[in-house]
Amino acid sequence: GSLDELMALAGLIKSKKESMKSEMSFLQGAIYELLSTIATSDSKYLSKMDSRIQMMESNILDWQSGFESKHGRLTFFIIPGASELEAQLALARAVARRVERNAVSYLSGDFTLLDDSLVLKFLNRLSDWLFAMGLRCYDDERLSLEEAEWAPK
C-alpha cells in the first residue's frame, strides 16, 4: 500500500511539473522493480538498483552543492508548504520514510530477498533524494527560504 501511495504521488508530481518528469519516471520505475521483487521473490528485478542508488547519490550531491553555494549550509528545519510542489515532495519523502520503516520490519521477519541490503540502501537514499528535490524548489520557484524556516520558540 505505501509503495502504491508513493507511486501515485510521483505521478501527481510528474503531471504538474514538466521539469521533474524524468526524475518521477525514474522513481516510478524503481518502485515497480521493488513491487515486482516483492511479488515474485525474484531478485532479477533489482539488477538496476545499484546504478539507481549511484545516480541518486550523484543527484543529491549536485543539488546540495548548488543549494549550498547560493544559501549556505542548511542549519534549520524546513516547514513544508512553501509551494504546492515543495509540499508534495515533502509528502512523498514522508511516505518514502514509512516505506523504509515498513521494509526494515518486513525484511527482519520471515521474508527475505536475495539482497535485502540493496533494497534498504535504496529506500534510505530515496528520502534524501526527495528532500534534495524539495530544496531545488526554493531556487526553481524563487521561494523564500526564510519563511520556511522552523525555529523553536
Side-chain angles (χ1 to χ4, degrees), residues 8 35 52-53 55 68 72 98 117 122 145:
L35 288 169
R52 287 186 183 279
I53 292 167
M55 184 179 138
E68 288 180 359
R98 180 177 356 116
S117 63
F122 171 79
L145 193 57

Side-chain angles (χ1 to χ4, degrees), residues 30-131:
I31 292 170
Y32 272 127
E33 290 165 4
L34 289 174
L35 288 169
S36 298
T37 302
I38 292 166
T40 64
S41 297
D42 190 340
S43 67
K44 71 181 179 186
Y45 298 103
L46 297 180
S47 63
K48 296 179 187 173
M49 200 58 65
D50 198 43
S51 64
R52 287 186 183 279
I53 292 167
Q54 290 175 12
M55 184 179 138
M56 288 167 57
E57 289 173 338
S58 176
N59 288 158
I60 291 166
L61 289 174
D62 289 346
W63 298 336
Q64 184 177 7
S65 175
F67 179 85
E68 288 180 359
S69 70
K70 293 177 184 172
H71 305 282
R73 189 166 176 82
L74 190 63
T75 59
F76 52 85
F77 290 106
I78 294 177
I79 300 170
S83 74
E84 184 177 351
L85 176 61
E86 186 269 341
Q88 289 168 343
L89 287 164
L91 179 58
R93 178 176 181 247
V95 172
R97 293 183 71 182
R98 180 177 356 116
V99 169
E100 182 183 10
R101 288 189 307 274
N102 290 345
V104 168
S105 296
Y106 189 62
L107 295 173
S108 65
D110 293 337
F111 184 85
T112 56
L113 300 174
L114 292 177
D115 197 346
D116 295 353
S117 63
L118 196 59
V119 171
L120 294 176
K121 184 176 181 180
F122 171 79
L123 293 173
N124 181 265
R125 296 304 183 282
L126 178 57
S127 62
D128 293 340
W129 187 71
L130 290 165
F131 179 76

